[in-house]
Amino acid sequence: MKKFQLTAISALLVFCLSAQTFTSSNLPIVVINTNGQTIVDDPKIMADMGIVYNGPGVRNNVTDVFNHYNGKIGIEIRGQSSQSFPMKSYGFELWDNAGSSKSQSVLGMPSESDWVLYAPYTDKTLMRNFLAYTMSREMGHWAANCRYVEVMLNNQYVGIYVLMEKVKRNSGRVNISKLNTSDVSGDAVTGGYIFSLDKDAPAWVSQYLPQNSTAGQSIRFCNVYPKSTAIVAEQTSYIRMYVDSFETALNNNKYQDKQTGWRKYADENSFIDYFIVNEVSRNVDGYRLSTFLYKDRSSKGGKLVAGPVWDYDLAFRNANYCKGSDTAGWAYEFNKNCPQDYWQVPFWWSKMAGDSSFQGKLRCRWKELRSTGVLSDVRLNQLIDSIVSLTAEARQRHFQKWPVLGQYVWPNPDPIAYSYSGEIDYLKGWLGYRLAWIGKNLKNVGGCYDYPASVKEAIMIQFYPNPFEDNITVNVKSRYNQALHLSVYDVSGRNVYEQSASILSGSNYLTMPLVRLSPGIYFVRYSVPSGENGTMKMLKK
C-alpha cells in the first residue's frame, strides 16, 4: 500500500507541472499506473489501481490514502467504433497479485470483479448512458449502476469517466442460474443464458432475415454467458432451438395467441419496457447492437427477457445518420431508414407493433410511467440537473483536457452547441419533443384507450371479421363503465344468440362464439342502458 501511495504522490507532482493542476475533486478519484505498459484492446495487462473517496460532501485529494480500492487490475481498451477516439474507454477486472480475478465492492456497488470505465467523449452531456440506465432501473429492471469519477492514468489527468457495472451473470447483476459444463439435460440445461445481438463472432444466425434489408444481411446472436470458450455443444443447441421456437411462434399467423404464440417463449413486460427505453432515447443502435437478452431455467420462469439496456452514447439526439436525431419516427423502424446498413433490427419489433394486446399493454405502461414520475418531464429534468450539478467543477478540467465543445465529434448532429449549457438545452428540448411525439403516436388501443372528446356517443363498436367462420370479435370503445347487451338474429328474426358483458371505460375486446350457426346472413344488435344501439349485417361462411 505504501509503495502504491508513493506512485499517487508522484503522479500529483508530475501533473502539477502541467498547465492544468489537478489536486482534488468532489468526485471519487481513480488513479491507474500501468508501470510502463501500453493498454491494448486484448489481452488485459496488469496494472495498479487506487480509488480515493471520502464520502458524500467530503473533498477527495489525490494525496489521500486509497480507501476504496488499492491493488492490481487487468485492464484493456473496450468498445468498437469508440476506440478511434483519443479518450479511450476501458474494461478492467480486479486481480490479486498472481493475476487471478477477485470480487470486491467498488464505490458502494455490489461486489464483483468486472467493471467498466466509460469515456463520455462523443457524449458532451456526459450523461446519456446514465439516463438510460437510471430509467430502466426505476422501471424495475437491473441496469448498470454508475459512478462519476475523475481519472489519472500514468501520471496524466484524463478527465471525467463513468465507472459502472458490466453486464454479467451474478446475484447482484443479471440474477439467473449458474450453468456448469455438466448441465446438458433436463431442467439444468434450460438456463441461465445471456446472449446478445452485436458485432462479436456469432454463436448462431437467425433463420429469419431482417425486414427491408437490401444487402443480404442476417441477424447474429453472440454468447455472453456462458462465454464462447466455456459453453458446451448441448447448451448452444438448447438456447439456439429456444430462440428459434420464439421466432417461429412470432412469425406465425397465430402469433398473438396467448397459449401458442410468442408469449409462450418471451416475457412480454420486459419487451415493453425495453421498447420504451429505446424509443424515448431514439437509440440509433437500439435493437440491433449491444442488445442483450437472457433466459433463466424453466423451473424459475424460464422465458426470454429483453435487456439489460446497454450502450446509449449515440442515443438522445447524438447520431447524425439514419434519422437518429429526429424527434419523430420509431427507432425500431431503423431498417426502413437504413436498409443498406450491415447491422439490422430483427423482425420481432415490427411484428409486436401489429399485436393489439402488446400495443394495449404498451399504452397502459406508457401512461403509468408518465404519470407516476419515472418518465415524467419533472423526473427526467431532475436527473439531468443532478448530473449538471454533480459535474460542475470537474467539467472545467474535463473540457480543458478534451476541448470538444463546439466541435464536431462523430456522429454529433447539427446544430452543434458551443457550450455545455447549450448541450443541456438541446438535450432537454429534444427529449420534451420526443416524449410528446411518442404520446401522440402510440396506438390508442386496449384498456388505456382515450375516448375521443369529439364523439358524442358513449359507445363505439366494431364487429369483425365479416364474413366470419366461427367467432366474431367485438371491439367496444366506451366513454365510461357500462353494461352491454349483444343479440344475434337470423333472417327470419329468430334470436339465435345473446351475450351480456360489463364494459370498462376505454377499449374492450369480446368474443362471440358462433361456430354452431349455419352458413347464412345474420344481424348482430347491440344496446346499452342509455338507449344507444345499433345493428350490423354479418355473413357466416
Side-chain angles (χ1 to χ4, degrees), residues 57-292:
V58 181
R59 197 79 187 160
N60 306 300
N61 300 287
V62 175
T63 54
D64 290 342
V65 172
F66 296 140
N67 52 11
H68 268 257
Y69 187 77
N70 184 16
K72 301 294 184 182
I73 60 170
I75 188 169
E76 63 185 352
I77 298 174
R78 71 174 304 275
Q80 293 167 342
S81 57
S82 63
Q83 289 199 22
S84 63
F85 299 144
M87 185 185 187
K88 309 296 184 185
S89 290
Y90 302 103
F92 68 92
E93 185 177 27
L94 305 183
W95 282 359
D96 60 21
N97 290 335
S100 297
S101 65
K102 65 178 184 179
S103 294
Q104 181 175 323
S105 173
V106 176
L107 294 176
M109 293 180 280
S111 180
E112 240 296 344
S113 58
D114 287 308
W115 304 86
V116 171
L117 274 172
Y118 163 68
Y121 184 75
T122 187
D123 174 13
K124 299 166 189 174
T125 71
L126 312 175
M127 67 178 73
R128 286 177 165 91
N129 276 321
F130 166 81
L131 285 177
Y133 300 164
T134 302
M135 285 164 52
S136 183
R137 192 181 309 109
E138 292 186 353
M139 290 161 70
H141 308 279
W142 180 85
N145 282 291
C146 301
R147 300 290 186 271
Y148 282 85
V149 300
E150 289 193 270
V151 177
M152 289 189 67
L153 173 62
N154 293 330
N155 298 334
Q156 295 294 316
Y157 176 81
V158 289
I160 294 175
Y161 276 75
V162 185
L163 198 163
M164 60 192 189
E165 297 174 302
K166 180 182 178 181
V167 175
K168 191 174 181 181
R169 188 211 71 84
N170 183 283
S171 60
R173 296 190 184 178
V174 182
N175 188 14
I176 55 176
S177 302
K178 183 178 181 180
L179 261 176
N180 299 306
T181 54
S182 58
D183 294 330
V184 295
S185 63
D187 184 58
V189 77
T190 65
Y193 297 91
I194 307 174
F195 59 97
S196 67
L197 284 72
D198 218 329
K199 295 181 180 179
D200 298 329
W204 77 94
V205 175
S206 172
Q207 59 185 319
Y208 295 98
L209 297 177
Q211 296 174 320
N212 301 111
S213 58
T214 59
Q217 301 98 318
S218 60
I219 301 299
R220 302 145 49 96
F221 298 105
C222 311
N223 290 320
V224 176
Y225 176 82
K227 296 179 181 178
S228 296
T229 54
I231 196 168
V232 297
E234 292 88 348
Q235 294 165 353
T236 296
S237 177
Y238 172 82
I239 189 60
R240 175 176 184 166
M241 287 192 297
Y242 191 92
V243 175
D244 284 349
S245 297
F246 159 69
E247 292 195 298
T248 298
L250 186 58
N251 192 57
N252 191 281
N253 289 336
K254 295 185 177 181
Y255 74 104
Q256 298 189 62
D257 188 287
K258 289 180 171 58
Q259 301 301 320
T260 62
W262 66 274
R263 291 172 180 81
K264 176 180 178 181
Y265 302 96
D267 179 78
E268 182 177 17
N269 291 336
S270 72
F271 278 79
I272 287 172
D273 282 0
Y274 192 83
F275 178 93
I276 288 173
V277 176
N278 273 294
E279 293 301 337
V280 167
S281 63
R282 186 73 194 253
N283 185 8
V284 75
D285 283 349
Y287 311 110
R288 66 191 189 101
L289 293 170
S290 299
T291 294
F292 289 88

Side-chain angles (χ1 to χ4, degrees), residues 246 250 255-258 262-263 266-277 279 287 306 330 332 348-366 442-448 509:
F246 159 69
L250 186 58
Y255 74 104
Q256 298 189 62
D257 188 287
K258 289 180 171 58
W262 66 274
R263 291 172 180 81
D267 179 78
E268 182 177 17
N269 291 336
S270 72
F271 278 79
I272 287 172
D273 282 0
Y274 192 83
F275 178 93
I276 288 173
V277 176
E279 293 301 337
Y287 311 110
W330 297 110
Y332 77 84
W348 311 347
W349 304 96
S350 294
K351 196 76 172 182
M352 290 175 189
D355 186 323
S356 57
S357 179
F358 180 89
Q359 290 298 325
K361 291 180 180 178
L362 171 62
R363 185 174 184 82
C364 287
R365 181 61 165 159
W366 175 260
L442 285 176
K443 291 182 179 179
N444 192 15
V445 297
C448 296
Y509 287 88

Side-chain angles (χ1 to χ4, degrees), residues 449-460:
Y449 173 85
D450 291 326
Y451 203 85
S454 60
V455 175
K456 295 180 180 180
E457 295 78 14
I459 193 167
M460 297 184 291

Side-chain angles (χ1 to χ4, degrees), residues 381-436:
N381 284 330
Q382 181 186 55
L383 287 175
I384 293 170
D385 290 341
S386 70
I387 301 306
V388 170
S389 175
L390 178 68
T391 61
E393 173 200 325
R395 283 199 312 272
Q396 309 308 312
R397 292 184 288 267
H398 177 86
F399 288 119
Q400 183 178 344
K401 174 66 179 180
W402 308 110
V404 294
L405 292 176
Q407 305 298 316
Y408 172 76
V409 178
W410 181 90
N412 297 161
D414 288 327
I416 296 173
Y418 284 89
S419 65
Y420 184 77
S421 61
E423 288 285 345
I424 297 304
D425 288 343
Y426 280 152
L427 173 62
K428 285 184 174 181
W430 182 92
L431 189 53
Y433 282 116
R434 182 64 180 162
L435 291 165

